[in-house]
Amino acid sequence: MSISGLHMVLAAGTFFWLVRALLSLSSMAALLWPVKKIAAVVAMIGATIYCIFSGSDVATERSLIMTLVMFGAVLVDRPALSIRNLSIAALIVLARDPEALLGPSFQMSLGAVAAMMALVPLMERKQADGTPATVLERSLRWIGRAMLGLVTTTLVTSIATAPFATYHFQSLNPYGLIGNALALPLVSVVVMPSAVLGVLAYPLDLDRPVWQVMGAAVEQVLAVSAWVGSFSGSTVVVPALSIGALALLSLGLLILTIPASSLRWMALVPAAIGLAFTAAPDRYDIFIDREGAGAAIRGTRGQLALVGRPSDFVTEQWLRADGDARTADDASLRREARCDSAGCVVTATDGRRIAFVQDYAAFEEDCRRANVIFTRLQAPPACRQPFVLDGEALKERGATALRLGPDAIEVTSVRKGREMRAWPDGRSGEAEVAPAQGRQRPVRPVPEQDLPEDEISTGEPD
């Protein structure tokens, strides 16, 4: 569940509960006035004010629309939580912000709410007949229902949002159930009510103790988060899902939530196929940044090796997409690359040689020995044997990823999409060359593009 959505519900729910409880203290108001609808109107106003003061970002506005639709259903005597209301909220969000459909906030929040509507009623334990005799029994039953609801909703939302989290962030949090079980009660019972009470007490200059209580609760929430985050395996980095796997898992979620009959269990078919795809991810062998300043190449050990100087942010995106938990400053990223001042060579898992050229002087040898060459420079027209992506080709394609097959290279780029390039006959790994533009430049060193001395290997230069 997104933090903005959780806070929006808690803020609006606090307004709704307080107004309804206060009006119910008066017998005349409770009998003659539509107390529930009055409380819903106040909650809608309070939620809107909360959205404005919190910055009105996209995620918060999406949460506000869903909350207003829910309380609007209360005003017209319709069930507040239903798949119809969720659909109306989704249509309003997409009408205002169509590109939100492709973002993690829309996908995860809508998926979590839809899954709760479909599965939580099935997972709730039926209440025993009869009323508990003592206050202790009633208290224990209330605590038990609250804990069961918390565990159930956390489990359902974790499962529903896992495909989207894997696709967008390449990470899973297996201990989220423990963290939510410990932190959400503090947020629900102390933090958000204190925020509302503090705002109300501020004009009377009575808000100081309220903020102190709220601050102590927030410190405990942060402490719980840090404690759960310190567990071994608290964050699991996994390979990015393919579009096909994400589409199948999303289809399974839709089939699960839309039908009202037992047809919903047909969702197991696409979900099972999608999970089968996730079990065998199809990873890329080479990631090249948009300017050709560096790349990550899968070496003989099956892990990515770094060449050149891509930014730390880009490097970590490549690693996360590959399901690699290493960071950009990990020394092991440079071990399989043989580098000198003219460039680098990495041997791929299938034995092909991948060359990164930093200096024009390296073209002569790499064009004879390498199977794939990429560079930010302009490759000479005579370099026609390997598959070449030079500065001009990368300018046309943008960031590019390569998958090396036995008979062809799959080239996926930002601007040109997916292409297949066949290896030509005669020499293993040879392929047609990406067209080089312009005339051949003279062979000359380019000192400003050389690698630093600490990256030059002690082995024989290539």
Side-chain angles (χ1 to χ4, degrees):
M1 293 180 292
S2 69
I3 295 300
S4 59
L6 173 63
H7 285 181
M8 181 63 70
V9 170
L10 291 175
T14 302
F15 282 112
F16 180 79
W17 185 88
L18 284 176
V19 172
R20 192 176 183 186
L22 291 175
L23 292 178
S24 297
L25 294 177
S26 170
S27 57
M28 183 182 69
L31 294 174
L32 301 178
W33 295 357
V35 173
K36 186 175 181 180
K37 295 182 179 181
I38 295 174
V41 171
V42 175
M44 294 170 74
I45 297 173
T48 304
I49 295 174
Y50 172 79
C51 178
I52 294 172
F53 278 92
S54 64
S56 299
D57 60 12
V58 175
T60 309
E61 290 180 358
R62 184 265 312 155
S63 302
L64 174 64
I65 291 172
M66 294 181 64
T67 303
L68 295 181
V69 170
M70 182 184 70
F71 283 115
V74 173
L75 295 179
V76 296
D77 298 319
R78 298 292 297 272
L81 294 175
S82 70
I83 195 67
R84 292 186 182 89
N85 292 345
L86 180 63
S87 302
I88 294 171
L91 291 175
I92 295 174
V93 171
L94 292 178
R96 183 187 178 280
D97 189 15
E99 64 270 19
L101 177 64
L102 303 179
S105 175
F106 180 87
Q107 295 172 1
M108 296 179 72
S109 60
L110 270 294
V113 176
M116 285 193 291
M117 291 179 180
L119 292 180
V120 170
L122 301 177
M123 299 177 67
E124 286 182 341
R125 185 179 58 186
K126 293 184 178 180
Q127 301 299 322
D129 296 333
T131 302
T134 65
V135 174
L136 178 61
E137 291 178 356
R138 288 196 295 270
S139 301
L140 292 177
R141 176 168 292 189
W142 181 85
I143 294 174
R145 286 198 302 267
M147 293 303 298
L148 178 63
L150 178 62
V151 172
T152 300
T153 54
T154 301
L155 180 62
V156 169
T157 53
S158 298
I159 295 174
T161 57
F164 306 109
T166 303
Y167 179 79
H168 290 286
F169 308 114
Q170 297 86 53
S171 64
L172 295 174
N173 303 104
Y175 301 122
L177 186 64
I178 299 175
N180 281 349
L182 296 176
L184 285 183
L186 284 171
V187 176
S188 304
V189 178
V190 182
V191 176
M192 292 309 300
S194 297
V196 175
L197 293 175
V199 171
L200 296 176
Y202 177 75
L204 304 176
D205 199 22
L206 300 175
D207 56 320
R208 180 182 178 87
V210 179
W211 301 133
Q212 290 176 338
V213 172
M214 181 179 175
V218 170
E219 288 180 356
Q220 292 303 312
V221 170
L222 296 176
V224 167
S225 176
W227 178 63
V228 175
S230 66
F231 293 174
S232 176
S234 60
T235 299
V236 179
V237 179
V238 294
L241 285 183
S242 64
I243 293 292
L246 180 65
L248 286 168
L249 293 172
S250 301
L251 178 61
L253 181 59
L254 291 174
I255 297 175
L256 179 66
T257 55
I258 293 176
S261 64
S262 57
L263 289 175
R264 63 177 56 183
W265 297 114
M266 292 293 293
L268 294 176
V269 177
I273 300 174
L275 288 175
F277 284 173
T278 63
D282 196 7
R283 296 181 173 95
Y284 287 101
D285 295 305
I286 305 174
F287 297 93
I288 307 172
D289 77 350
R290 61 183 180 180
E291 297 178 351
I297 305 168
R298 193 173 310 282
T300 55
R301 300 178 183 177
Q303 290 185 310
L304 294 178
L306 198 64
V307 297
R309 286 200 173 280
S311 68
D312 290 348
F313 174 79
V314 171
T315 300
E316 292 187 0
Q317 296 307 305
W318 289 339
L319 293 172
R320 292 177 72 87
D322 197 58
D324 195 327
R326 291 179 294 176
T327 58
D329 57 355
D330 195 314
S332 64
L333 288 171
R334 302 278 181 177
R335 288 176 184 170
E336 290 195 67
R338 293 174 294 167
C339 298
D340 57 22
S341 60
C344 299
V345 173
V346 177
T347 302
T349 52
D350 58 1
R352 293 189 175 100
R353 295 166 61 88
I354 315 300
F356 168 55
V357 176
Q358 284 275 96
D359 193 314
Y360 287 103
F363 279 116
E364 180 180 359
E365 181 177 2
D366 287 334
C367 289
R368 288 186 292 103
R369 301 177 61 185
N371 303 109
V372 175
I373 292 177
F374 65 94
T375 176
R376 68 193 307 176
L377 307 176
Q378 184 174 339
C383 190
R384 297 288 180 180
Q385 292 302 317
F387 177 82
V388 177
L389 285 173
D390 64 359
E392 293 293 331
L394 290 173
K395 188 179 297 183
E396 294 176 2
R397 288 176 170 81
T400 302
L402 307 180
R403 187 178 286 116
L404 307 180
D407 302 316
I409 306 176
E410 179 184 331
V411 184
T412 304
S413 59
V414 172
R415 296 175 183 166
K416 288 197 171 184
R418 183 173 175 268
E419 310 169 68
M420 295 299 297
R421 294 292 192 93
W423 296 109
D425 297 331
R427 173 173 169 239
S428 173
E430 293 182 359
E432 56 180 323
V433 183
Q437 305 293 331
R439 61 182 178 85
Q440 181 177 2
R441 296 191 180 186
V443 176
R444 59 180 177 82
V446 184
E448 66 271 15
Q449 292 181 336
D450 290 348
L451 295 178
E453 294 296 329
D454 57 358
E455 291 191 15
I456 300 177
S457 64
T458 56
E460 179 182 354
D462 295 312

